Amino acid sequence: MRPVERGDRPVRYNWRGRMREEQEFTRYSQARRYLIDRLGAFCSYCEQLLPNPDVEHIDPKSIHDHLELDWENFLLACTNCNSTKGDTDINDGNRETYYWPHKHNTFMAFLYDDSGVVKPASNPAVDIRRAENTIKLVGLDKIAPSLGTIAYEEASDLRFENRLTAWSDATKWLIEYDLASEHVKAAFRNLLPTVLSKGYFSVWMTVFQAYPEVKEIICKTFKGTALTCFNKGFQPVNRNGAEV
């Protein structure tokens, strides 16, 4: 899960470019464009590219209606992550039993591999229960239904299959990169931002973990990636002195 910097509440400017006031939302949908500008059009949880991302309320608006228009309560989410999370009551009492991409270095907390299922990372700094809670909260452990079943025929949740496809694509690129000359490697790095347009930050970062020059491009291609979560070699580090 990509760690992100959502930034402060947007501000409005006058025609001279001078700040006029902080943006106040009368509908939460007004925040969508600002969030896309800050974070890119990707789900904050499963990382897939979205044609029309939902404004996700971290604390559900159905329970905490006073936070419905609160910028600090917004992320972006796909329909599947958003609906799986649903009306789970996130509140001051249980918020710290989950990992959040705008608060933690979530890239450290989860393991991505060729199984397509997101798992807690085997890192001493990671609270396994907390990582498991987060995975279940948005359904990152869901797999495809069996071929030929009604569930398969009616399935609209393709996150698992899309993650597998991203892993396969990244692995093919890695094989080519491993064998390439320096000239070809440079050409690949120039092309990489286009290749990354479909999302899946964590998949590409994991597959290319041995190549800091590629990881730098990955981190800087995805708008809003929290670069303070990575050192100069683009290895993940604790965020703001926190455990993760």
Side-chain angles (χ1 to χ4, degrees):
M1 192 178 293
R2 179 171 68 111
V4 298
E5 291 282 2
R6 180 185 51 210
D8 297 331
R9 177 185 292 274
V11 296
R12 291 176 174 174
Y13 294 88
N14 64 19
W15 64 275
R16 292 178 177 173
R18 294 178 181 174
M19 190 179 87
R20 187 174 64 188
E21 61 189 4
E22 286 192 336
Q23 175 68 280
E24 294 290 339
F25 303 112
T26 57
R27 302 181 308 279
Y28 66 83
S29 59
Q30 292 173 305
R32 180 181 289 111
R33 181 58 184 268
Y34 293 103
L35 290 164
I36 292 172
D37 287 347
R38 302 283 182 87
L39 306 176
F42 303 101
C43 179
S44 300
Y45 302 116
C46 73
E47 305 182 343
Q48 65 180 319
L49 176 67
L50 303 172
N52 188 26
D54 296 333
V55 176
E56 141 75 353
H57 291 82
I58 300 164
D59 291 18
K61 64 182 184 299
S62 59
I63 300 173
H64 305 281
D65 57 356
H66 64 292
L67 298 176
E68 180 176 350
L69 303 177
D70 187 348
W71 173 257
E72 299 299 322
N73 195 37
F74 295 155
L75 287 172
L76 290 171
C78 70
T79 299
N80 294 122
C81 286
N82 207 0
S83 61
T84 303
K85 181 171 175 284
D87 293 333
T88 303
D89 187 5
I90 308 301
N91 55 62
D92 291 341
N94 70 4
R95 191 174 294 104
E96 296 308 311
T97 62
Y98 303 96
Y99 286 120
W100 301 103
H102 65 300
K103 292 291 186 182
H104 305 102
N105 187 348
T106 40
F107 182 67
M108 290 180 64
F110 303 102
L111 173 68
Y112 291 75
D113 59 26
D114 59 1
S115 72
V117 177
V118 181
K119 310 176 186 71
S122 55
N123 184 320
V126 174
D127 182 331
I128 300 298
R129 180 63 61 84
R130 194 171 183 176
E132 289 175 341
N133 289 345
T134 309
I135 289 168
K136 291 190 178 299
L137 178 68
V138 293
L140 296 182
D141 55 348
K142 291 184 177 181
I143 62 173
S146 298
L147 184 66
T149 63
I150 294 175
Y152 178 87
E153 293 168 353
E154 296 180 350
S156 61
D157 184 353
L158 300 177
R159 292 175 297 170
F160 172 77
E161 293 96 320
N162 291 343
R163 198 178 299 118
L164 281 177
T165 298
W167 185 273
S168 176
D169 290 345
T171 301
K172 290 175 184 176
W173 280 95
L174 174 66
I175 293 170
E176 295 293 331
Y177 195 79
D178 279 337
L179 300 174
S181 65
E182 287 305 315
H183 176 74
V184 174
K185 280 183 167 69
F188 165 80
R189 292 193 295 271
N190 288 333
L191 181 62
L192 187 56
T194 302
V195 175
L196 296 172
S197 61
K198 294 181 181 179
Y200 300 101
F201 169 91
S202 295
V203 167
W204 285 87
M205 285 288 287
T206 300
V207 169
F208 278 90
Q209 60 186 311
Y211 291 99
E213 72 277 13
V214 176
K215 292 192 293 183
E216 178 179 7
I217 295 171
I218 296 169
C219 285
K220 292 181 177 179
T221 293
F222 285 93
K223 290 192 294 186
T225 299
L227 297 179
T228 56
C229 289
F230 301 91
N231 63 20
K232 291 181 179 179
F234 288 86
Q235 288 291 105
V237 295
N238 293 355
R239 187 169 189 169
N240 301 325
E243 289 185 7
V244 168

